[in-house]
Amino acid sequence: METALDTFEKFDPQHLPEFEPLAPGHRACQGCGEVLALRLAAKALGREMIVVSATGCMEIISSAYPQTAWRVPWLHVAFENAAAVASGVEAALRIMKGKGKITRDDIPILAVAGDGGTADIGLQALSGAWERGHNFIYLCLDNEAYMNTGIQRSSLTPYGAATTTSPPGKLSIGEGHFKKDLPAIAVAHKIPYVATVNPAYYLDLMNKVKKAALIQGPAYLHAFSPCPTGWRHEGRYAVKIARLAVQTRVFPLYEVINGKYFLNRKVTKPKPVREYLKLQRRFAHLTEEDIEIIQENVNNEYDRLLRLSEEVDLETKLTTSFQQYLDQLKQQMDEAYKKLREEFQHT
Amino acid sequence: MPTRTPMEVSIAVAKAVQQADVDVIAAYPITPQTHIVEHLSELVANGELQANFMNVESEHSAISAMVGAAAAGASTFTATSSQGLALMHEILFIASSLRLPIVMVVANRALSGPISIWNDHSDIMAERDIGWIQVFCENGQEAYDSILHAFRVVRDPHVLLPMVVNIDGFNLTHVIEPIYLFDQEELGDYLPEHRQQLKLDIDHPVTMGPVGIPEVYTEAKKQVEDALVNSKQTILAAWQEFARRFGRTYAPIEAYRVEGAKILLMTMGVISRTAMGAVDRLRERGKAVGLIRCRLWRPFPLPEFREAVRQASIIAVVDRHISLGAHSGPVCQEVRSALYTLPNRPQVFGFVLGLGGRDVTVHDFFEIVELSEQYASQGPPASEYTHIGLREV
Ligand SMILES: Cc1ncc(C[n+]2csc(CCOP(=O)(O)OP(=O)(O)O)c2C)c(N)n1
Ligand code: SF4
């Protein structure tokens, strides 16, 4: 696995692939973060791949018969089973290759679902697929609500957000729970690759998708996906909000490779969370105290992540210095041998 | 010359699946289906069957994985029962609408609640309208043969539908019967190679499972219906070819001692054997009773059924499922509506028996015949169907 990542060639911003597996002309809302993340992920994989989609916004907007926005093989079955369907596709390709019925090498499979289809109703199928170790990329497009059925809360809806099923009221501040930590659940399955992505950081996103395709076994990508319709922000702010999510540490970008955390973008001078919240009407009802609670949670989560990734840093430092020591030792010994050999030749 | 080997029916079923050279099997344990997939996983573990055996985390995922695998072009098999089938419910319609050639054995078992592991037909009767081809087997030989038929039928490019082979739980899955097994050579090319035109192929990309807007939904449904109705030709051809090659004959509606019978019993599945015993005894007593057994349940063989009952004046239909809140069991409803438009239709009386593993005996059939005669002469019962063997509580 490490070897595949060693030879990993990053996307060059000047020469991005031209082929768009997800064609323009789909029916997503203006400024949709999901479709942006999906398009970039698809672009990173290219022409030779198979997409399996859960029911949700991205399925509805891309496949209304007799039209399709997909230029690659695409399959939709139901809401909660994208991971199980993708397992079946992968199992089929593997055995058919073994039997010589097909000749193509590892065709990347991209399974796509929203936060509801991933963290709620689809979690069992996803856990099963991870545990069985199927080789496909699972992309969760997290718009923090069930958008296809009209802005209901999911277990990934953030604390304080107003949705139609978590409305703020006399007795409620809106959603009353913090987000379920899905990447951590993925990591707990000991799958080789877990990463968070964000369409505002498009090269990072595409490179992570590419890495995920290189790695044998399950890969999980959690994509921050602004949704103007559900978050009540102007379409033109989607990328700005996505970037603010990273700059405020609300949505840190990190990778977990074989259980090791790597914080890809350390945010040393974070902007206050308020700046992120204020652009979205779903948070408009929050008081200063509510925002304080959210800020505190963001700080804690970021610190936790930092600690996790610093452990890795420390370990790498240790291994690097040990390696340097070994290298020095080897050099000294080589020189000593050389000397000895020369002396031996003289005698 | 083939030999008859005593063998558990589940094992024979697994052998047939092996002979069909499937690519992917996914299953989740549920009694009384387990022996089938246990044996298949052994065959895979021993390298006797080159297939991918997926130990999924639920039946919902089993059928989902089958849909994915079949969409990718693989030959697929799964088996389930009862609650497992009910958990698959949502995906079953999608499998037929995607026109995927999946073969599934349902080891028929009662549905909760109360929880019961024993045999009746309530699991599959709740799945009448899923768009799958469905047959019911009466004995082990038929179960084995039906799996071979099923793979032949679903692999036919004119069909493109999934198929359920119903095998009564325990009373068939777990009994040991003498069964003729083909060796692969004998079977020859009865089973065609699995080749699928429409699949997830990167060289010919297709969009599968798109949104059906109101302008197309009805037409899409109609196409599945047409495919299901038209599949009968292929099914009959597959059975005829089987009879021609191997000498065992199967029909959509099977008749037993129907010559001159005024009263016809109608059954499905394993209790037909008991019913045959009852018919024999009644015939000995000089009663003109016969039996018809519905083998092909979907598509319902309407012309064959009408032909089979043409000369009867009474049909006693036996259901092994309660259609809660309806006026009779599902098979009886089917029979009544099949006859309704005929000018000279026989009288139809519905009976429900053998629920949740309750024993079905020849005496039950004696009672059914007796009651039917009584209803015919003295007027039908107050309720539209009769429970047999119901203890008053
Ligand atoms: C079993 C089942 N329950 C409910 C639904 C209705 N449904 C369709 S999409 C959806 C919400 C999708 O939300 P999410 O997964 O977050 O994706 P999004 O639409 O936001 O992209 C729901 C509840 C369904 N299709 N199937
Ligand atoms: S509702 Fe939100 S996620 Fe769905 S298409 Fe519109 S912007 Fe995208």
Side-chain angles (χ1 to χ4, degrees), chain A residues 34 55-58 79-80 114-117 121 143 145-149, chain B residues 90:
Chain A
E34 285 209 343
T55 312
C57 270
M58 291 305 101
F79 181 26
E80 62 290 321
D115 46 302
I121 196 168
N143 61 15
Y146 293 173
M147 280 316 301
N148 187 44
T149 33
Chain B
E90 181 200 19

Side-chain angles (χ1 to χ4, degrees), chain B residues 267-323:
Chain B
T267 54
M268 276 161 97
V270 78
I271 60 161
S272 312
R273 290 201 258 194
T274 316
M276 283 182 203
V279 167
D280 289 344
R281 307 249 297 259
L282 290 168
R283 284 271 180 175
E284 277 165 27
R285 293 182 207 164
K287 253 195 199 327
V289 179
L291 170 76
I292 56 170
R293 170 168 73 97
C294 183
R295 265 203 98 232
L296 181 63
W297 171 234
R298 286 289 180 270
F300 188 75
L302 195 61
E304 287 88 344
F305 169 75
R306 285 182 175 159
E307 178 57 31
V309 301
R310 208 162 42 91
Q311 288 172 347
S313 48
I314 297 172
I315 310 175
V317 183
V318 178
D319 264 289
R320 303 201 59 203
H321 170 59
I322 298 191
S323 184

Side-chain angles (χ1 to χ4, degrees), chain A residues 217-248:
Chain A
Y220 176 68
L221 297 169
H222 193 106
F224 185 83
S225 309
C227 165
T229 312
W231 298 9
R232 307 264 185 240
H233 67 73
E234 286 183 46
R236 68 193 164 114
Y237 287 153
V239 174
K240 182 175 180 169
I241 288 175
R243 195 171 298 117
L244 269 173
V246 174
Q247 292 167 338
T248 55

Side-chain angles (χ1 to χ4, degrees), chain B residues 28 113 122 155 194 202 294 305 338 362:
Chain B
Y28 192 76
S122 51
R155 284 177 189 178
H194 183 75
I202 51 173
C294 183
F305 169 75
V362 285

